[in-house]
Amino acid sequence: LCPATRNRSRTPPLQRWQKFVARVTREGSFAKYFLFGTPHDYQWLDRLRAQAADPERIELAFPTSYRSLSAYLARLDGVVTVD
């Protein structure tokens, strides 16, 4: 999940993402979920992780390059972003 994608004119709605994370981790069948962002987004992502049905199944990911992002994406079953 990539909820932290933003720019100056658009900030993702935290409450909507909190509900989504709670629902998808409660109803979803995946063993692990990743929340992608930058180190600047840590507190925001940690609040989202706290809403999960099982926060231990959520890993925060902060890829520092396109290469490391590609390594994550290659192992995933799907990606949900705001764009």
Side-chain angles (χ1 to χ4, degrees):
L1 307 172
C2 303
T5 305
R6 66 178 128 215
N7 60 34
R8 289 182 207 148
S9 63
R10 181 186 61 200
T11 301
L14 178 61
Q15 290 178 337
R16 185 178 279 170
W17 273 102
Q18 285 175 324
K19 288 178 185 177
F20 177 73
V21 167
R23 189 179 76 233
V24 77
T25 57
R26 183 178 59 249
E27 298 171 4
S29 60
F30 297 105
K32 178 75 84 176
Y33 294 88
F34 292 87
L35 286 174
F36 288 93
T38 66
H40 176 74
D41 300 314
Y42 179 83
Q43 289 181 331
W44 197 82
L45 294 174
D46 198 41
R47 281 188 268 159
L48 286 178
R49 178 172 47 188
Q51 299 301 311
D54 181 4
E56 295 297 317
R57 292 174 44 204
I58 299 219
E59 184 173 325
L60 302 183
F62 306 103
T64 56
S65 67
Y66 285 119
R67 176 175 263 188
S68 62
L69 177 60
S70 296
Y72 274 111
L73 295 178
R75 300 181 318 174
L76 300 178
D77 292 322
V79 177
V80 177
T81 69
V82 296
D83 292 330

